[in-house]
Amino acid sequence: HKEEVLSKYSCFYNSENESLCIMIEETSKYVDFSRETVMNLMDFAQRLGIEAIFLLIARKNKEYVKLLQGMMTVGFEQEEQMKTTKIGGKVYKVLKMKLKQQPDEIQEIEF
């Protein structure tokens, strides 16, 4: 009965541009965002038709550099239009990953 990692984070969905935003706060741990966790998140987002995932990483997070490097290794990129944002008095680095909508690997063929 292990707590689900992503249930500890604030997530927002924007239906206008079909995007999911996840806030990584000052107390968040790098270990919570393993490659497997991010891949599961990407798979989940693709199944829901989400076109982009945004990560907001708190600049004052002790593991900020590790989080930034790890997420960029997986495929997140720095958002060029808005590099940082301020929410509730905290500054966040904005990373974005565009998802390619891929058809299901298994297709049903009628004979």
Side-chain angles (χ1 to χ4, degrees), residues 26-66:
E26 295 171 358
T27 57
S28 301
K29 303 285 185 200
Y30 171 75
V31 72
D32 288 344
F33 288 91
S34 67
R35 180 177 174 85
E36 181 182 339
T37 301
V38 175
M39 296 302 282
N40 287 339
L41 176 63
M42 290 167 48
D43 183 52
F44 171 75
Q46 281 184 324
R47 290 173 190 251
L48 292 178
I50 292 173
E51 295 179 12
I53 299 174
F54 289 89
L55 288 182
L56 302 180
I57 304 175
R59 296 289 305 257
K60 290 190 175 184
N61 186 304
K62 292 179 181 177
E63 299 181 298
Y64 172 78
V65 173
K66 287 172 79 173

Side-chain angles (χ1 to χ4, degrees), residues 64-94:
Y64 172 78
V65 173
K66 287 172 79 173
L67 283 162
L68 189 62
Q69 289 174 341
M71 295 304 102
M72 292 182 95
T73 300
V74 174
F76 282 90
E77 298 174 346
Q78 181 173 308
E79 174 60 35
E80 294 301 324
Q81 295 175 351
M82 182 174 49
K83 296 181 182 200
T84 61
T85 187
K86 193 171 188 176
I87 301 172
K90 297 177 185 177
V91 178
Y92 295 87
K93 175 76 168 175
V94 181

